[in-house]
């Protein structure tokens, strides 16, 4: 795995935009998005794309997006990738950043992989950059330094990824051989988190991978993990709802097709005469039913 190191002072805007002929067509028309992930501004993934999903604390998403969307637009343009910040899920402190683009077989990197590394760098930059009116420019400049391996190695960093369970094996390997090799090679801590640590913004059936350590080690490990995920696509397309939204769809108040009576008119314990329903039709086996009456 090769990580390109850029000279000091080089900015994202001054680099040559990567040329991936197969990716240009994806902006010419809107393709059908993958079920379970939203489309909209920035677009969602389409079948066959390389897809990465990064967790970002909600306190940092504003810097990833930038004022008026300036940062995320620049990253989309320079990496030729779709980058989408998913909506907040109730009960979650994180938002999911979905990065997708067609693969470029035979090339060492890919648009989606490049974009994921840049997104990580911008997220990391929010902890070391100055604020103020030029915050967006500062975020890009700090991200340049991180990608260029200019960040101080003692700066602690972390990044979390959501992956389908079908991809987890390619990161662990038989007896943990792959994940142990990546740990030794990078010096970063890489682990697949327990189920109870997965945030509610994850899709049902997801695993979460967490990488922690010094900034340069995390960047190296993140690149290795992304490379392995790119080489081993999930067996099935992403689908389903976030954990926090599952089962929240309300039942229709009209349970029978064509019924004009809502549920509250069908309750067996309604008071006699309510809704104009004769009391002998209330209740079951006499339970909650009023005494028999003669109706004239």
């Amino acid at each position: 795995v090769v990580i390109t190191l850029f000279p000091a002072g080089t900015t994202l805007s001054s680099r040559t935009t990567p040329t991936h002929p197969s990716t240009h067509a994806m902006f010419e028309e809107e393709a059908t998005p993958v079920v379970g992930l939203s489309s909209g501004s920035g677009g969602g993934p389409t079948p066959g794309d390389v897809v990465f999903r990064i967790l970002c604390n909600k306190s940092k998403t504003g810097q990833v997006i930038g004022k008026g969307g300036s940062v995320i637009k620049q990253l989309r343009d320079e990496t030729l990738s779709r980058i989408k910040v998913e909506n907040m899920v109730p009960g979650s402190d994180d938002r999911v950043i979905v990065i997708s683009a067609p693969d470029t077989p035979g090339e060492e990197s890919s648009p989606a992989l490049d974009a994921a590394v840049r997104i990580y760098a911008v997220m990391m930059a929010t902890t070391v950059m100055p604020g103020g009116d030029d915050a967006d420019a500062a975020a890009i400049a700090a991200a340049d330094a991180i990608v260029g391996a200019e960040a101080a190695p003692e700066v602690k960093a972390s990044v979390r990824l959501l992956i389908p369970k079908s991809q987890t094996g390619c990161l662990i390997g038989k007896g943990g051989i792959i994940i142990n090799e990546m740990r030794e090679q990078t010096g970063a801590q890489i682990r697949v988190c327990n189920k109870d640590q997965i945030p509610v913004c994850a899709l049902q059936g997801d695993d979460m991978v967490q990488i922690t350590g010094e900034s340069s080690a995390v960047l190296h490990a993140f690149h290795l993990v992304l490379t392995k995920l790119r080489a081993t696509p999930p067996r099935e397309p992403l689908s389903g709802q976030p954990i926090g939204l599952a089962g929240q769809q309300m039942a229709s108040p009209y349970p029978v097709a064509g019924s004009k009576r809502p549920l509250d008119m069908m309750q067996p314990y309604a008071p006699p005469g309510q809704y104009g329903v004769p009391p002998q039709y209330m209740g079951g086996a006499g339970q909650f039913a009023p005494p028999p009456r003669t109706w004239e």
Side-chain angles (χ1 to χ4, degrees):
V1 175
V2 177
I3 299 179
T4 303
L5 303 182
F6 296 94
T10 304
T11 63
L12 290 176
S13 57
S14 67
R15 297 172 190 162
T16 302
T17 300
T19 302
H20 301 292
S22 60
T23 64
H24 288 287
M26 77 183 186
F27 295 105
E28 295 177 2
E29 58 179 338
E30 187 66 27
T32 304
V34 173
V35 176
L37 298 176
S38 65
S39 55
S41 178
T46 58
D49 280 356
V50 175
V51 182
F52 300 120
R53 290 174 295 148
I54 302 175
L55 286 169
C56 180
N57 188 277
K58 61 186 179 183
S59 65
K60 294 186 177 183
T61 52
Q63 197 61 55
V64 172
I65 295 170
K67 187 176 182 180
S70 61
V71 173
I72 200 168
K73 183 180 184 301
Q74 181 175 346
L75 295 174
R76 288 170 185 154
D77 292 344
E78 292 183 349
T79 63
L80 301 177
S81 300
R82 296 184 180 95
I83 304 173
K84 169 72 176 179
V85 180
E86 293 284 358
N87 294 329
M88 283 289 299
V89 173
S92 178
D93 290 330
D94 298 304
R95 295 178 71 176
V96 181
I97 301 177
V98 183
I99 302 157
S100 61
D103 199 6
T104 50
E107 296 192 20
E108 193 168 306
S109 190
S110 72
L113 197 154
D114 291 342
V117 170
R118 301 281 182 86
I119 288 290
Y120 158 75
V122 171
M123 288 168 53
M124 182 59 193
T126 62
T127 65
V128 298
M129 57 168 243
D133 295 336
D134 295 329
D136 292 349
I140 292 293
D144 289 333
I146 291 170
V147 174
E150 298 166 17
E154 66 273 9
V155 174
K156 298 298 181 182
S158 67
V159 64
R160 294 169 298 156
L161 278 167
L162 295 176
I163 64 172
K165 287 185 182 297
S166 62
Q167 285 187 296
T168 306
C170 78
L171 298 180
I172 297 177
K174 187 175 181 180
I177 186 172
I178 294 176
I179 198 168
N180 287 331
E181 286 179 353
M182 290 193 294
R183 288 167 178 162
E184 293 176 4
Q185 185 175 350
T186 65
Q189 292 296 319
I190 309 169
R191 68 190 186 99
V192 178
C193 297
N194 296 329
K195 184 177 180 180
D196 60 0
Q197 295 177 296
I198 298 176
V200 295
C201 58
L203 297 178
Q204 298 183 61
D206 275 346
D207 275 332
M208 182 174 75
V209 178
Q210 183 177 48
I211 306 171
T212 57
E214 296 177 350
S215 179
S216 56
V218 171
L219 177 62
H220 189 185
F222 187 47
H223 198 286
L224 283 179
V225 167
L226 295 176
T227 300
K228 291 187 180 298
L229 293 174
R230 176 197 177 197
T232 311
R235 288 193 289 268
E236 297 178 357
L238 295 173
S239 63
Q241 288 184 315
I243 296 170
L245 298 180
Q248 290 192 6
Q249 184 175 359
M250 299 298 292
S252 169
Y254 300 97
V256 180
S259 172
K260 296 183 179 180
R261 293 195 303 165
L263 288 173
D264 60 359
M265 293 180 67
M266 295 182 164
Q267 299 303 318
Y269 47 83
Q274 188 172 354
Y275 310 119
V277 181
Q280 65 264 35
Y281 296 112
M282 301 272 187
Q287 191 174 19
F288 304 114
R293 287 180 57 187
T294 300
W295 287 78
E296 298 178 359

